[in-house]
Amino acid sequence: MATTERKPETRLTSTISGLPVDELYSPENVRIDYERALGNPGEYPFTRGIYETMYRGRLWTMRQFAGFGTAEETNERFRYLLEHGQTGLSTAFDMPTLMGLDSDHARSLGEVGREGVAIDSLGDMETLFSGIPLGEVSTSMTINSPAAMLLAFYVCVGDEQDVPRTELRGTVQTDILKEYIAQKEYIFPPEPSMRLVVDMIEFCTRELPRMHPISISGYHIREAGSNAAQELAFTLADGFAYVDAALERGLEVDEFAPRLSFFFNAHIDFFEEIAKYRAARRIWARELRDRYGAKDPRSWLMRFHTQTAGVSLTAQQPHVNIVRTALEAMAAVLGGTQSLHTNSFDEALALPTEEAVRLALRTQQVIAHETGVANTIDPLGGSWFVEDLTNRLEAAAYEYFARIEKLGGVVPAIKENFFQREIAEASFLYQSEVEREERVIVGVNRYELDDEPPLEILRIDPTLEQKQIDRVQALRAKRDSAAAESALAALKEAAAVEDRNLMPPIIDAAKAYVTMGEMCDALREVWGVWRETPVF
């Protein structure tokens, strides 16, 4: 029986990464080597998932990114989320904190508490987790350049709560390479920044065995405009660079590799995203086992967190974002994520309201308990289409690995703006497709509304900024100034010596209530700051 296809001008027959999509997939055009390429869940190469029982044994951790205003406001939001069934905390920090600036710094004006919580000192961290037992929750902190300082604050709060360091659980993002590649929230040059990352890996290996010292993050690479193939390749290349750096420090791969974790985007191209996660697990397992000689099977496992795509959210008809987020979250679950954050429908306009956050969390709960997708392990395994996409994304990643290696590795490639150019070109191509209406964005270039009702959004009280400024200045006035100065001097002295792990002096400074900005300023004096050359 003859059928009529959609008009050519209304269809795109390729993925967002530009991979052609055939009309039909079958054994005639796809070969599946089950033993080599798939295997069983929980077995090498872990294409089908890193655990034997996956969600039949335990659901993914449901995290909602939270943070705004001062530590008091965010502490209230944390408690609200825990009361509504969230199983892990995920902390967003404001721009001054991300850039290693205290709230009373001139460059912080107008940004304090706007896009996340302001954390200047151990005092703020104590308030942030007041009444929240750190031995019972897993906490993720999205922080990179000043990650060592925020980890130190967290360790100190755990010490104050008498929680053994061996029981502290969570993830610190710490992925400085993707900052140079995509997000641009860097402070120091790449080499000393990498030193700080390895210091954290070494420290956590020795003292915080349940803490993931780094979350190697493709999410921000994707948000900067990359496609799925680039997100996959660049993220894994960064991961290998961290492994190389830790090995150069003298650590054994099986000492630290089990505590490395990843963070991926869940974009709107449903099947390509699922294939991306499958390819990532397979590549990581192969390289850790065969290239790096890891013997512990836990080192082969790629554990990853997923967040739905912020760049897919639209300011137009924002309630449609609920649909986008649900589909993206479903892709993350079908792809085998270990934890998940679902964006709120109003985040293209402002920080989310409590109602929007609750609905985003309910989205995950509906997927977990009502859809049936968690009842069987890897339900899409063996799909001719998904397996073919997985193979092609894997091949595309290895092509990028070869190009990066030819440039001398990740850091030299960053200095030559290789990643930045590739992302810019992919972003331009995607936007061109949208503007030509080859790629339809509902409510943006098709199915628009002329008169949209205004949406009630969260507005941050502007008086909170002055409140936080007063707080940090009061802290400096009442602390033991001699102890603070001594701790800062010790930190600068250690930073000037290559073979000193900086986590102990940073923790000492935190206990003396030295602020995060003061610590970063001390390191700026020793290491300088990074100035990126323009991409074009």
Side-chain angles (χ1 to χ4, degrees):
M1 179 177 176
T3 59
T4 303
E5 291 192 349
R6 288 174 287 167
K7 295 178 182 179
E9 68 270 18
T10 66
R11 75 177 182 199
L12 250 169
T13 55
S14 64
T15 68
I16 289 178
S17 292
L19 300 178
V21 176
D22 292 341
E23 181 179 2
L24 181 67
Y25 289 81
S26 72
E28 295 181 3
N29 60 357
V30 180
R31 295 186 63 184
I32 300 176
D33 184 336
Y34 189 90
E35 292 300 324
R36 186 195 70 81
L38 276 76
N40 292 325
E43 297 178 4
Y44 182 89
F46 306 104
T47 310
R48 304 200 66 189
I50 63 172
Y51 300 123
E52 182 180 0
T53 59
M54 287 302 288
Y55 306 136
R56 283 181 68 100
R58 177 185 175 186
L59 290 174
W60 61 93
T61 300
M62 299 180 191
R63 298 185 189 275
Q64 288 305 117
F65 204 33
F68 63 93
T70 68
E72 286 96 343
E73 285 74 32
T74 301
N75 177 265
E76 290 178 12
R77 177 65 64 91
F78 278 171
R79 291 166 176 266
Y80 175 86
L81 290 169
L82 291 171
E83 289 168 3
H84 282 80
Q86 182 168 302
T87 53
L89 299 176
S90 186
T91 314
F93 298 96
D94 68 358
M95 187 58 69
T97 304
L98 295 173
M99 297 303 296
L101 302 172
D102 285 336
S103 295
D104 60 345
H105 193 282
R107 288 174 56 198
S108 301
L109 183 63
E111 295 292 339
V112 176
R114 293 288 178 178
E115 297 176 347
V117 61
I119 298 294
D120 292 315
S121 70
L122 173 57
D124 291 327
M125 192 68 91
E126 291 165 342
T127 301
L128 183 65
F129 291 101
S130 176
I132 298 174
L134 298 192
E136 299 175 16
V137 298
S138 170
T139 303
S140 172
M141 293 186 283
T142 302
I143 192 78
N144 293 282
S145 283
M149 293 76 181
L150 272 296
L151 176 62
F153 293 156
Y154 193 79
V155 168
C156 291
V157 173
D159 289 346
E160 291 171 2
Q161 292 186 5
D162 293 323
V163 178
R165 291 185 178 182
T166 55
E167 296 301 312
L168 290 176
R169 293 179 293 127
T171 303
V172 191
Q173 193 164 100
T174 322
D175 183 1
I176 196 60
L177 291 175
K178 62 89 178 172
E179 294 297 332
Y180 301 113
I181 290 171
Q183 201 170 17
K184 313 304 181 187
E185 290 163 1
Y186 46 71
I187 301 173
F188 317 112
E191 289 81 4
S193 292
M194 285 291 284
R195 173 188 171 182
L196 265 181
V197 173
V198 179
D199 284 350
M200 290 179 64
I201 292 173
E202 184 178 42
F203 176 78
C204 289
T205 298
R206 306 282 191 249
E207 297 204 32
L208 305 175
R210 302 185 71 186
M211 181 71 68
H212 295 279
I214 183 170
S215 175
I216 305 154
S217 304
Y219 185 85
H220 305 95
I221 292 172
R222 193 64 178 278
E223 292 289 291
S226 81
N227 57 41
Q230 292 170 335
E231 179 192 356
L232 171 65
F234 298 169
T235 307
L236 288 170
D238 288 350
F240 300 143
Y242 292 125
V243 172
D244 290 335
L247 292 175
E248 289 174 13
R249 175 68 63 88
L251 296 174
E252 296 292 332
V253 66
D254 286 324
E255 280 189 286
F256 64 87
R259 302 313 299 165
L260 300 181
S261 64
F262 286 79
F263 175 20
F264 285 111
N265 199 295
H267 215 288
I268 197 64
D269 197 328
F270 189 77
F271 291 106
E272 183 172 55
E273 295 302 292
I274 295 167
K276 177 185 72 182
Y277 307 131
R278 297 165 67 81
R281 278 194 295 269
R282 191 157 72 202
I283 294 170
W284 185 256
R286 179 189 302 119
E287 296 302 309
L288 265 290
R289 189 188 73 169
D290 298 346
R291 190 206 306 187
Y292 292 106
K295 299 292 190 288
D296 187 343
R298 295 179 305 151
S299 299
W300 310 338
L301 304 183
M302 171 177 276
R303 303 167 183 83
F304 67 93
H305 170 70
T306 310
Q307 181 175 339
T308 57
V311 290
S312 71
L313 304 180
T314 65
Q316 301 92 328
Q317 301 180 45
H319 287 96
V320 179
N321 293 330
I322 299 170
V323 181
R324 294 187 178 99
T325 294
L327 292 170
E328 292 165 356
M330 182 71 84
V333 170
L334 291 173
T337 192
Q338 275 62 69
S339 68
L340 179 60
H341 165 90
T342 33
N343 286 330
S344 301
F345 70 87
D346 54 358
E347 287 190 68
L349 299 166
L351 290 174
T353 62
E354 283 193 352
E355 179 186 6
V357 170
R358 184 174 64 249
L359 183 58
L361 179 59
R362 293 288 183 260
T363 301
Q364 294 197 50
Q365 292 164 339
V366 168
I367 291 172
H369 301 293
E370 297 186 29
T371 64
V373 297
N375 291 343
T376 190
I377 304 159
D378 187 32
L380 291 181
S383 158
W384 293 305
F385 179 42
V386 170
E387 300 304 348
D388 181 71
L389 272 180
T390 302
N391 293 340
R392 286 192 285 161
L393 284 169
E394 180 180 14
Y398 274 99
E399 289 176 8
Y400 266 119
F401 296 158
R403 295 173 67 186
I404 295 165
E405 185 177 359
K406 190 174 181 180
L407 292 169
V410 172
V411 172
I414 286 170
K415 292 180 177 180
E416 292 192 26
N417 282 330
F418 169 74
F419 300 104
Q420 298 90 319
R421 285 195 302 271
E422 290 292 308
I423 293 171
E425 289 174 9
S427 179
F428 177 79
L429 176 62
Y430 179 85
Q431 189 59 35
S432 297
E433 291 172 347
V434 172
E435 291 177 2
R436 292 194 300 266
E437 296 189 26
E438 295 172 347
R439 191 170 298 282
V440 175
I441 308 296
V442 173
V444 175
N445 61 4
R446 196 171 299 183
Y447 313 114
E448 302 97 317
L449 288 179
D450 293 330
D451 297 310
E452 291 191 49
L455 187 71
E456 184 176 338
I457 62 174
L458 178 68
R459 301 188 185 278
I460 305 301
D461 184 352
T463 64
L464 293 179
E465 178 167 279
Q466 189 58 51
K467 177 182 176 182
Q468 183 65 19
I469 291 171
D470 292 342
R471 181 201 302 274
V472 69
Q473 291 177 345
L475 177 136
R476 291 199 199 98
K478 71 179 181 181
R479 72 188 179 189
D480 183 333
S481 58
E485 289 298 325
S486 176
L488 266 179
L491 176 58
K492 283 194 281 189
E493 179 183 350
V497 180
E498 284 294 327
D499 61 353
R500 293 280 301 277
N501 189 305
L502 295 184
M503 283 306 302
I506 289 173
I507 291 174
D508 289 343
K511 289 179 177 178
Y513 290 91
V514 175
T515 68
M516 179 268 304
E518 290 170 331
M519 287 190 245
C520 288
D521 283 344
L523 297 181
R524 287 182 180 98
E525 288 182 33
V526 179
W527 294 338
V529 296
W530 175 248
R531 305 291 186 194
E532 185 180 61
T533 56
V535 176
F536 297 109

